[in-house]
Amino acid sequence: DNMDEDDDNDDDGEDDDEGDDNDGEEDDDDEDDSDMDDEEEEKKPVQRKQHNLSTGHDVDEGKTVFIKNLAYETDEEDLRDMMEEVFGPVYFAKLVLDKVMQHPRGTGFVKFKSAEDAAKCVEVSEGKDGVFLDKRRLNICLAIKQGDVTARQKERKEKEAKDSRNLYLAREGMIREGTQAAVGVSPSDLEKRKKVDQYKKNMLKNLNMFVSDTRLCIRNLPASYDDQRLRKLFTAHAPKGAKIRESKVIRDTKQMVNGVGVSKEYGFVSFHRHDDALGALRNVNNNPQIFGPDKRPIVDFSIENRKAIQARQKREEKSKQNNPNFKGNPRGKDSKSDAKSAKSSDNQPTTTAKADFAGTVSDPKVKTLPKHSGAKVRHNKPKISRKELRKQELERKNPKLKNKRKRQQQEMSSSTTAETAPAEEPAKKKSKKSRKISKAERRDEKENKAFESLVNQYKSKFTSNQQVLKKWFET
């Protein structure tokens, strides 16, 4: 019985061991599953918290500036270094790239660490000195939000549609030094044209002044010209079918000669249509064959005063009402027909030809006179090929390539200077370098000289004493 009991106990123990083994296997399986779960969690990409910040969220801080007129060769490092050197520390400098070609568009953004530095940058750019980078003056303003940009663009388009001052016509016929039209023009005529441009700027500051699209002002007229000769001149150079409404030479009533005032050497010619006036301007303005090459006609669109014209129209209406013999309004009919023809001509594109001497052609998009009134300076920069643009893009991505190119250019320049320079120049340069010795090196030289003098003194003492010579030098 005891043996049976022991066997039973052994069987129970074996069963218990098997149960323990199974439990261990289940625990191992659980550990393997947890390890797999950990690996899957590690493989899953870390989901970043999405920020609710829109583009330009920090614009209201006043630390970011928008830059225009950047050179295509300029990179972000040059822009950042220049801004930090001149104005102050910068968070970033970012160039705007074309979405398709991935090359710079000539604009960029710079965010300063303080709003004062950003304001100073804008103030300096708007001043006389300006901000320059890569030989180009930068146009800098505080950055604004994208929504505000679209709103401003809409307002600008509405203003362009509503603009009735014809400011773009003020550029028509302008001639500046350095342009093709200025070739052969006398210095006196160029000086007169500068004064005319300055007069236009001052007059158009008044919002009541506008540029007439049918009335021309002619300056530099000969003193012998009268109204009839002026009319004949413009009928000969105006387009076919052009109708002249008015031709008048302004005279000085205080100075009379044979009952006629002395000519002030300028006058006005009015046309019914804008295209006719534009064609006549381009044919007569700066034409060397009319008055001669030394004295050329200066023609531009006349600047009128809207209030004065309205007052004159009111006076004419009152005089018509008070005149019992007046019947109808033929002048009003003409004005309506002129308005219709003007509208039809505005809808049609102007195809008036321009000679080389005619000067600047007006552009409806450009409604301001040039800020610089001096000579036209042309920068003859070489055109950038696509290969060079790709190289610049690679250098922008990898600054090591840019440093390598700079080293090659320096080596090339040093080799060319060594070849072209005469043999005496290197010696001169060495002499200049020898002169530019530091103070420490000069002290060392003085100490060496002093030490050498002491050694010489000891030598002289030794040689003068016979006993010392026998002791040290004789064997």
Side-chain angles (χ1 to χ4, degrees), residues 196-380:
V196 170
D197 296 339
Q198 189 62 39
Y199 168 78
K200 285 182 187 178
K201 284 183 181 179
N202 295 332
M203 291 293 287
L204 292 173
K205 288 178 182 178
N206 187 353
L207 298 179
N208 293 318
M209 309 301 288
F210 70 97
V211 183
S212 175
D213 59 347
T214 56
R215 195 180 190 211
L216 301 177
C217 180
I218 304 95
R219 296 177 178 84
N220 224 11
L221 286 172
S224 60
Y225 259 65
D226 56 4
D227 298 347
Q228 292 181 356
R229 291 187 68 181
L230 185 61
R231 182 183 286 270
K232 288 180 182 178
L233 173 66
F234 275 87
T235 50
H237 291 85
K240 290 182 180 180
K243 294 182 180 180
I244 296 176
R245 182 186 295 170
E246 173 200 15
S247 65
K248 185 177 181 181
V249 176
I250 306 301
R251 298 184 177 275
D252 188 0
T253 56
K254 295 180 180 180
Q255 296 180 2
M256 306 293 288
V257 177
N258 297 326
V260 181
V262 177
S263 174
K264 291 187 176 181
E265 298 186 356
Y266 74 94
F268 297 92
V269 176
S270 298
F271 289 85
H272 285 270
R273 296 175 66 250
H274 168 65
D275 289 350
D276 298 336
L278 183 63
L281 185 150
R282 291 180 178 177
N283 291 331
V284 177
N285 182 42
N286 198 39
N287 193 334
Q289 298 177 358
I290 294 177
F291 304 146
D294 295 333
K295 188 176 183 181
R296 303 187 185 188
I298 301 172
V299 187
D300 57 356
F301 284 100
S302 175
I303 297 175
E304 306 290 340
N305 191 338
R306 184 175 282 109
K307 285 187 175 181
I309 291 172
Q310 291 174 356
R312 186 176 62 192
Q313 290 175 353
K314 288 180 181 179
R315 287 196 302 269
E316 289 177 356
E317 289 176 359
K318 285 182 180 180
S319 63
K320 290 173 185 178
Q321 291 175 2
N322 296 329
N323 187 1
N325 298 323
F326 178 74
K327 294 180 181 180
N329 188 9
R331 195 168 189 177
K333 292 179 182 178
D334 294 338
S335 62
K336 288 180 182 178
S337 61
D338 295 341
K340 288 180 181 179
S341 63
K343 286 181 180 179
S344 63
S345 64
D346 290 339
N347 294 329
Q348 297 174 357
T350 57
T351 57
T352 308
K354 184 186 85 71
D356 294 336
F357 56 77
T360 307
V361 177
S362 58
D363 185 1
K365 295 180 181 179
V366 181
K367 297 184 178 180
T368 56
L369 291 168
K371 295 180 181 179
H372 181 60
S373 59
K376 181 77 173 179
V377 180
R378 298 187 182 277
H379 302 284
N380 295 323

Side-chain angles (χ1 to χ4, degrees), residues 157-165:
K157 288 181 180 178
E158 291 176 358
K159 285 182 180 179
E160 287 176 359
K162 294 178 182 178
D163 186 16
S164 59
R165 297 180 68 195

